[in-house]
Amino acid sequence: MSSRAGGVNCLEANDWVCGEYLRTRSQELTDATVQHIGITAVSVALGLLLAFPLALVARRWRGAAGPVLGLTTVLYTIPSLAMFALLTPVFGVSAAVVVTGLVLYSLTILVRNLLAGLQAVPAGVREAARGMGYGPVRLLFGVELPLAIPALVAGLRIATVSTVAMTTVGSVVGYGGLGNLIASGMAGFFKAEVLTASVLCVLLALVADVLLMALQRLLTPWTRAGGRAGVRSRAVAWARGRARAVKAVG
């Protein structure tokens, strides 16, 4: 509500729900939301770019899997405040501190899911593709990665939602997006600011999750043919059909 009986403004009354706050602070909310989205998107994208070669190394050399997974797990256990404190001398007080920390945190999820997806590709599909003349690079990008998409997107969803939440901690260095508003609201016990920024964080996480689910459905056509039964066999048939089609064109 924007006001109470007797003309008391909801800002003056410090209500949790306040339309006047939304009206007067709309630009502030927009700027914080844009910063939050930017930090989250860049962090997840860089995390995926770094996780991809790490997952390939872990799959290629079995002896490297333990150290790679162990290192990413250790990084994930470092408290966020300590992580930002360690990174500040390197990057200074900047958004790079927050992005770097979030990238490191995302690795444990993205590397594990990407590795699991690649390892789950049926050996018969790999052999069929090799028999049709697929080299290692073509096999990876043309067959293995498409079949690993469900596991990869599952990891992306978890990493994205957690990154949306953890971005708020960046308020300690002034680059926390909506977290800046939550921190300032908590400091002054400004109820509307705390609640509004928190709700926006939840909405961002939900929207990102829905978009990634839609992306997965778009990129995995073999999962649309009704139910869970036979998904694996449809995936194999799709991959083999793709390989034959590419060979025929070539």
Side-chain angles (χ1 to χ4, degrees):
M1 61 188 299
S2 60
S3 62
R4 291 182 172 183
V8 178
N9 189 281
C10 62
L11 288 175
E12 297 173 355
N14 195 25
D15 291 333
W16 284 104
V17 180
C18 182
E20 187 67 15
Y21 170 76
L22 296 176
R23 188 184 68 80
T24 58
R25 305 291 184 89
S26 59
Q27 188 59 52
E28 182 180 53
L29 288 168
T30 299
D31 292 342
T33 302
V34 170
Q35 184 185 75
H36 205 109
I37 294 173
I39 291 175
T40 299
V42 171
S43 299
V44 174
L46 291 178
L48 183 58
L49 289 176
L50 186 56
F52 183 61
L54 289 175
L56 292 182
V57 169
R59 187 188 65 158
R60 177 65 178 81
W61 294 284
R62 292 185 178 180
V68 168
L69 296 177
L71 176 60
T72 57
T73 300
V74 168
L75 290 173
Y76 193 77
T77 62
I78 300 175
S80 55
L81 293 178
M83 176 74 80
F84 293 159
L86 293 172
L87 293 173
T88 298
V90 179
F91 297 100
V93 180
S94 65
V97 172
V98 182
V99 170
T100 303
L102 294 175
V103 167
L104 296 177
Y105 283 132
S106 70
L107 290 179
T108 186
I109 300 170
L110 294 176
V111 172
R112 288 178 182 275
N113 279 66
L114 185 53
L115 179 60
L118 291 173
Q119 290 177 334
V121 176
V125 173
R126 292 194 182 97
E127 292 303 319
R130 291 191 186 101
M132 294 178 180
Y134 275 53
V137 175
R138 191 180 177 191
L139 174 63
L140 174 64
F141 289 98
V143 177
E144 293 179 313
L145 275 181
L147 292 178
I149 284 176
L152 173 58
V153 175
L156 272 176
R157 289 173 61 189
I158 298 172
T160 301
V161 170
S162 64
T163 299
V164 170
M166 294 183 67
T167 296
T168 58
V169 185
S171 61
V172 297
V173 292
Y175 292 92
L178 293 166
N180 294 338
L181 301 183
I182 295 175
S184 64
M186 290 293 293
F189 198 57
F190 189 177
K191 296 178 182 178
E193 186 170 49
V194 173
L195 180 62
T196 303
S198 299
V199 169
L200 286 175
C201 280
V202 173
L203 290 177
L204 284 180
L206 291 175
V207 170
D209 193 49
V210 170
L211 290 176
L212 287 173
M213 287 177 62
L215 178 63
Q216 176 181 342
R217 182 173 176 80
L218 178 66
L219 296 178
T220 53
W222 59 85
T223 63
R224 302 175 196 167
R228 295 179 179 271
V231 168
R232 181 185 177 92
S233 61
R234 289 197 298 271
V236 172
W238 175 86
R240 288 175 174 168
R242 176 184 172 89
R244 295 191 187 97
V246 172
K247 183 179 181 182
V249 173

